[in-house]
Amino acid sequence: MLELKDFPKHLKTIKKEDWDKLFAFITRLEGTTSFSKVVIGEKNADGSFDFPHIENAPLASELVDLLYKMKLAPVFDYMDWKEGQEILKNNSFENLDAITVCKFFTVMLRSERFIEGFIAGWLSEGIVLKLLKRLKEIVV
């Protein structure tokens, strides 16, 4: 992850083929309705049980891996980002710039660490799809 101050320069270094890989997820997400599954506590060989948990679908995991690989989640104080909360509340993504879109990727990836199923929720709600479409409008 890169500091927010270094992020505009980083965006300019991303190659077209990498953007194409990311934007290929738009079509894949549009045709998908399930982004996770609940795994009920399974019995281990030693007789203990795993806690029930949410497991992201392979598509969600692939997207997350690519976001990390492309370094599209800048470091910033996402927990105190009032502008982002307002954008989400109003569901208004059409005028966002590339840095703001990527700040939402930070919110999504960091939140998953503390709220299991967060990524799957944003995928199901179409938030990630809207962010990717907006980013494609800006980059292409």
Side-chain angles (χ1 to χ4, degrees):
M1 293 176 111
L2 297 166
E3 295 291 328
L4 191 56
K5 65 179 177 56
D6 301 322
F7 203 69
K9 183 178 177 183
H10 168 68
L11 286 176
K12 293 176 184 176
T13 67
I14 297 174
K15 296 179 178 148
K16 181 186 181 319
E17 51 269 13
D18 291 325
W19 287 120
D20 290 344
K21 287 178 194 173
L22 180 65
F23 299 141
F25 278 92
I26 292 172
T27 304
R28 295 175 70 191
L29 292 175
E30 288 175 329
T32 305
T33 56
S34 178
F35 299 100
S36 65
K37 68 178 180 178
V38 176
V39 178
I40 304 300
E42 298 172 350
K43 189 173 184 176
N44 297 314
D46 66 0
S48 64
F49 286 87
D50 288 333
F51 281 105
H53 61 278
I54 296 172
E55 185 177 285
N56 283 331
L59 177 62
S61 297
E62 288 174 41
L63 176 60
V64 166
D65 290 346
L66 186 58
L67 290 172
Y68 276 120
K69 181 180 176 193
M70 292 178 70
K71 298 179 182 170
L72 289 180
V75 175
F76 75 104
D77 184 8
Y78 71 96
M79 292 184 70
D80 196 35
W81 187 36
K82 303 291 186 231
E83 177 191 9
Q85 294 170 11
E86 196 64 29
I87 292 166
L88 282 174
K89 183 175 130 188
N90 295 325
N91 198 20
S92 58
F93 301 98
E94 50 282 332
N95 295 318
L96 301 182
D97 60 30
I99 293 172
T100 304
V101 169
C102 292
K103 286 170 81 171
F104 277 108
F105 294 148
T106 299
V107 171
M108 179 182 74
L109 296 172
R110 296 297 300 157
S111 295
E112 178 74 16
R113 293 179 176 260
F114 305 102
I115 306 167
E116 188 178 58
F118 192 92
I119 291 171
W122 270 25
L123 286 164
S124 295
E125 293 171 27
I127 294 170
V128 176
L129 183 59
K130 289 176 186 176
L131 292 170
L132 288 174
K133 285 180 175 181
R134 178 60 187 148
L135 191 57
K136 184 176 181 181
E137 290 173 2
I138 298 165
V139 172
V140 173

